Amino acid sequence: LVFLLLGCWFINPEPFLVLKDIDVAYVNQRVLLDASESYDPEGEELSFTWELLVKPADSTMDNSKISNNTETIASFIPDKPGEYIIRVTLEDMGNVLTAPLTINVVDLGAPAVPADLAVGETTATSLVLTWGASTDATEYELVRDTSATGAFTNIVYTGDLTTFTDTGLTGGTACFYAVRATNYSGESALSDVVSGFTGVPAVPTGLAISDAGPASLTAGWDASVGATSYELYRDTSNSGAFDTKVYEGGYTIYVNT
């Protein structure tokens, strides 16, 4: 642009409009529109306007949904997959530059349900949970309940890791967990429920002998809260050392032959 000032020609150099490309974006994920590297050779202040030119046919997107649309960095959240074209206009003392920015938006769909949720190391007041990574997940929600059939609304962890240590628990308590995966498009169903027990499991009760035969005895007992396996010992006296282990496993019945 050329001006005549006091008999002299003044040429205002054009500014440089620089847009950062966007390779791909996702439905319901905020998209940054970045022209922050634009500049004026003489350091003059620049003004920007961002406008929507093209959107998918079923999108409700409009200019009012472009945040900070007069700033160097604006943003919007696409509501449908497809092609969006945003135009930026840069002005500087009469110079006007425009450029389109094409953005291809993809719908990831809900992520897969996380697999392999397990309880690891336990202490009197904490439990370590681990689970497998889920395809297309951006974060995970780990939920806890006091019953395997509970509502599981108590979120104890949200983040992108696949392990979490649940601390501050009451000792001698059974806790039940499930995990779901989330992303910008939605969330998975909850995983299978697992349980953990803080501290030492309760002493098994109800130990009894049944079906005694000439060469075998069947021992059974009640399940113990927090137990993952049992050890059954035998001796020839009720005051013996009971150092002969005859069974180790997860069942509550054993036939000693």
Side-chain angles (χ1 to χ4, degrees):
L1 191 65
V2 179
F3 296 95
L4 180 62
L5 298 176
L6 300 177
C8 298
W9 290 102
F10 169 70
I11 300 176
N12 181 31
E14 284 191 349
F16 290 84
L17 176 56
V18 182
L19 288 178
K20 289 187 178 180
D21 291 331
I22 301 172
D23 294 331
V24 66
Y26 301 101
V27 172
N28 296 325
Q29 176 192 23
R30 184 168 295 279
V31 178
L32 292 182
L33 309 170
D34 191 344
S36 61
E37 295 183 4
S38 302
Y39 65 95
D40 182 88
E42 297 183 324
E44 298 291 338
E45 184 176 352
L46 304 176
S47 64
F48 295 83
T49 304
W50 300 86
E51 301 171 280
L52 176 68
L53 297 183
V54 174
K55 66 178 181 179
D58 54 348
S59 171
T60 62
M61 177 71 188
D62 58 34
N63 284 331
S64 69
K65 296 180 180 179
I66 301 178
S67 301
N68 301 318
N69 68 338
T70 59
E71 304 293 332
T72 56
I73 299 178
S75 67
F76 76 102
I77 299 175
D79 60 343
K80 299 293 180 181
E83 183 181 80
Y84 294 74
I85 299 179
I86 308 290
R87 180 177 64 195
V88 60
T89 300
L90 181 155
E91 296 186 51
D92 165 40
M93 292 184 62
N95 288 317
V96 179
L97 301 179
T98 63
L101 182 62
T102 300
I103 304 158
N104 293 308
V105 175
V106 175
D107 189 349
L108 286 176
V113 177
D116 303 323
L117 177 62
V119 177
E121 181 181 352
T122 66
T123 71
T125 58
S126 68
L127 295 168
V128 176
L129 286 299
T130 60
W131 57 91
S134 174
T135 302
D136 293 330
T138 56
E139 286 191 332
Y140 301 93
E141 288 182 354
L142 182 69
V143 289
R144 183 183 69 216
D145 209 297
T146 57
S147 166
T149 58
F152 288 96
T153 57
N154 181 20
I155 300 173
V156 296
Y157 171 72
T158 300
D160 58 2
L161 301 179
T162 56
T163 183
F164 175 71
T165 301
D166 196 9
T167 60
L169 303 174
T170 301
T173 302
C175 299
F176 299 84
Y177 296 88
V179 64
R180 65 166 59 92
T182 66
N183 65 20
Y184 301 111
S185 295
E187 61 184 31
S188 74
L190 285 173
S191 69
D192 292 338
V193 175
V194 299
S195 63
F197 189 82
T198 55
V200 178
V203 176
T205 60
L207 177 63
I209 301 298
S210 62
D211 297 331
S216 67
L217 291 170
T218 298
W221 56 93
D222 297 329
S224 174
V225 176
T228 57
S229 66
Y230 301 90
E231 296 178 352
L232 181 67
Y233 293 85
R234 184 184 66 206
D235 208 296
T236 57
S237 167
N238 60 8
S239 59
F242 287 95
D243 54 5
T244 302
K245 184 192 297 184
V246 295
Y247 170 72
E248 181 175 357
Y251 294 107
T252 58
I253 189 170
Y254 175 70
V255 179
N256 191 194
T257 59

